[in-house]
Each structure stands twice: as structure tokens, then as C-alpha cells.
Amino acid sequence: MTFEQLGLTGPLLNAVAGQGYITPTPIQQKAIPLILDGKDVLAGAQTGTGKTASFTLPLLQRLAENHDPHQKPHCVRALILVPTRELAAQVHESVKTYGAHLPLHAEAIVGGASIGIQTRQLRRGCDIVVATPGRLIDHVQQRNINLSNVEILVLDEADRMLDMGFLPDIKQIMALIPKKRQSLLFSATVPNAIKSLAAQMLNNPVEVEVAKQNATAENVTERVYGIGREHKRELLSYLIGSNNWKQVLVFVRTKHGADRLEKQLIEDGIRTVALHGDKTQGARNKALEYFKAGKVSVLVATDIAARGLDIDELPHVVNFDLPQVPEDYIHRIGRTGRAGLSGEALSLVSPEEAWFLVEIEKLLKRQIPRVADTGYEPVSLKVMDAPKKNAANKVTGKKDFRHAKKPAAHGAKAADSKRTDGKRIESRGKGRSGSRGKG
Ligand code: AMP
């Protein structure tokens, strides 16, 4: 199967060849012909499957086919809504790359960037807008953008948009777009909330799915390290240092936790940068740029900041904290093992997090292999009590144990353990000894 056989033509084939793509990925094989044919599509495709190109390439071709070069100024003909600024930047980049040989202009409209500059860009005119919902609505309210000519609407990572509470914004935006349009909905998972959004948004959609729902990427090796909370940082430094890892994405739960771990790893002599929602857009872009360019080895990120990041050949993902919403585990480890490459996803799990692990494994319907010898005295990840039943997330309906009482766990005391293999994490910073006790 080639891109040509999918119905793509000259300029797009050149752009694809320029990226070095030879064979379309499964989602591209399924979605591109349908979208070229004008169909509405509900696609269950996880990140890393080539989903961005699967909607961007046919979208560009359709716009180019009906492009009137004399129409002035360009009006917004395609709107791509995404949950985060980082994903907007990436999708915008893809649109520019794949559309390099076409007379179409795209802008990214996201929070955290100057609204004045965006206003000027929008008033100059553009054919395609990639936007986060909140900032788009700001521009709608200020009458900087007219959505009444939109022909194609895309919702990318729709499940995450709902998780982030964007449903009212999405509905508001949909009301401003002509009913006669093509709509595409991409989502890593397809829970009931997405099905009901699809029913409102899509017209007679064709459903395509490439990865089994709630499956994780097959070429990712997953491992759980049962470890006392206070030893996590030391173990992480050890794993990075002893394996000479050059590019690791580390997930933590909180912004504060991200800043703290960044500082600690730097103290351990590991080049690290943190990425979270409290950083300015400039700092977030810089963090990502440094990480992608290999100027830092570790990117410590919260879930929202890391959503949708596309980093070529990312080999290692570490869950320093387990996510509290089980689906986030799948999103997180989807950062590695992308486009057919192999990857490694390690989770450092303390006894306090045992319940989150239970919920994740319930979702995966399998057990994640445990590392027998972590180098520390073993801790038990068995749980004693079920958390309270009413801890469901009201917005998504997903189970969310954030507010549940933490169950007692066997072996919590063993968390005071020391490394049993005599290994010590020697600081690679100036004259510090081990980092013990600061995790
Ligand atoms: P995505 O799922 O859209 O985030 O894409 C994941 C990665 O796959 C990106 O780095 C793309 O550049 C890459 N990619 C997309 N399509 C192909 C393809 N047909 N062949 C090889 N790599 C691809």
C-alpha cells in the first residue's frame, strides 16, 4: 500500500516523501480515503500511530482542490481543535510541513501567547486554524475570527478535551460553525462520553479503530518497580546514570512535584528540565526544544503538559508517580514505542499507590511485569481495603481515586529499606554524596 494508492496527489505525495514516509500506517490507510471522500469519521487511534497525518493530509488535499486563489482575504475553512498548547504547536507544524507545496495558510491560536499578535494574524486571513478551545473563544468574543465558512472541523485527542472540561467550549464553538460540514473526531479511547459527543457532532460517521481500545503500544516493554516513596528519586537517578539514558520523559503528578524533581535531578548532575502548566509558553517551548535537541536528558512533566508530545524515537518513559486516572497510564506510555520503534516504560510504585496500580491493571486486563530485584528491600504492592465506591469523576464518569481514602498497604514499613545490592547513587554534582533521604 502506498500513499498514492490512498488517493493523495502531487504536492502531498512530495511532502510525505520529504518526511521519509514510505508506507502509510494502519490509521492512515483507513482514514485517508474516507476523509478524501468527504465522510465524517470517528477514529479510535492512540497517539504514535500516525494519526496527525491521517487527518492533516486529506484535509489539505480537500481544501486545495476547492481553493480559489482570488478569494481575499483567506477565510477560515478548516478548524482543528486540540486540548493543549503543545499539541497545537505540533499539529500546526505538521500542517505547515505537509502543506508546504500548497497555497494554504495555517495559524495556531493558543493561550499563553500574545493575543495582539494572534489578532493581527487572524485579520490578515488564514485557511486553517489549529486552536485550543479557550483562546479560540476569546477571539470569537472579540470578533477577530469568523467561523461561518468552516468546511472541515477536527477534534483531536477528544477524550482528553473532555477530561480537561472543554465540553461546554466545544459545544459553543460547534454552534458557530455551519451544520453542513465535514467533521472528524479522533480519540485515543472511545468511552461513552465520546460516543455521545460523536452523536451530536458527526453526520453518519464511519468508525475506524486501529489499536484495540485500552491497549497499550505493543512494542513498549513495561515494568513496575515496587519502591518506597522516599527512594524513588535515588532509584531514578541510578537508572538514568547507570544505563546512560540520554532521553527520558518522567511523569509526575503535580506542578510542584515537577519543579522539585527537576531541582533534585540537577543536584544529582543530570541535565533536566520541567514542563508544566504554570510555566510561561516561552519556557514550555524552550523546555521542549532543549529536550528534543538532546540538550537535556530528562523532561519532567505533568500529564496535561505532556499530552500529545511527539518526540521522535523517545526510548524511555518513567512514571515517577502513577497517574490517578487509569487511562492516563496508556496516554503516558504512548509517548514511547512510536511509529513502530521499541520503547521502555517503567513505573516506580510505592505502597501508597498500590490502588492506582490495581485500577490500571484492571483497565489493561493484564498484569504489568514486576522487577524482582529493585536493589532495595522489597515492598508489598498488595492492597488491603477497596477505596470508597463513590470516587467517580463527575465530568468523565471515569473512576478517579484522587479523593478516596488511601488504603493501608502491607509492607509500608519496608519502605524504609536500603538498597540491598550495596549500590549507591553517587552524586555527579559538585562533591555531594548520595542523594539518599531526599526523595
Ligand atoms: P502521531 O500519531 O500523529 O503523533 O505520529 C507519530 C509519529 O509517526 C510522528 O513522528 C510522525 O512523523 C510519524 N509518522 C506518521 N506517519 C508515518 C508514516 N507513514 N511512516 C513513518 N512515520 C510516520
Side-chain angles (χ1 to χ4, degrees), residues 17 32 42 52 56 68 79 116 158 164 170-171 179 187 245 284 304 307 342 355 362 387 391 398-400 438:
I32 289 175
L42 168 60
T52 312
T56 306
D68 175 1
L79 174 63
M164 288 169 73
I170 292 170
K171 286 190 171 166
K179 284 212 163 52
S187 191
W245 285 346
R284 286 162 75 165
I304 286 181
R307 177 69 177 176
S342 62
W355 253 109
K362 218 187 270 175
K398 284 177 190 167
K399 276 187 192 158
D400 175 350
K438 290 210 171 182

Side-chain angles (χ1 to χ4, degrees), residues 3 16 19-25 28 46-53 90 98 308-312 338-339:
F3 283 98
V16 162
Q19 291 304 295
Y21 306 163
I22 296 164
T23 315
T25 65
Q28 292 163 0
Q46 63 188 122
T47 193
T49 54
K51 68 180 172 61
T52 312
Q90 278 171 199
Y98 302 137
L309 293 184
D310 174 26
I311 298 152
D312 284 344
R338 315 196 85 189

Side-chain angles (χ1 to χ4, degrees), residues 293-351:
K295 288 184 184 165
V296 294
S297 316
V298 180
L299 183 69
V300 181
T302 55
D303 282 298
I304 286 181
R307 177 69 177 176
L309 293 184
D310 174 26
I311 298 152
D312 284 344
E313 302 177 36
L314 182 59
H316 307 285
V317 168
V318 176
N319 292 312
F320 190 82
D321 300 317
L322 274 189
Q324 295 175 335
V325 177
E327 283 81 357
D328 280 343
Y329 178 84
I330 297 169
H331 298 315
R332 286 180 176 192
I333 78 162
R335 313 287 104 214
T336 182
R338 315 196 85 189
L341 295 161
S342 62
E344 190 173 28
L346 307 181
S347 299
L348 312 189
V349 184
S350 66

Side-chain angles (χ1 to χ4, degrees), residues 50 121 202 225 290 373 380 430:
Q121 288 166 335
L202 306 175
Y225 283 75
Y290 280 10
D373 180 12
S380 168
K430 283 187 225 142

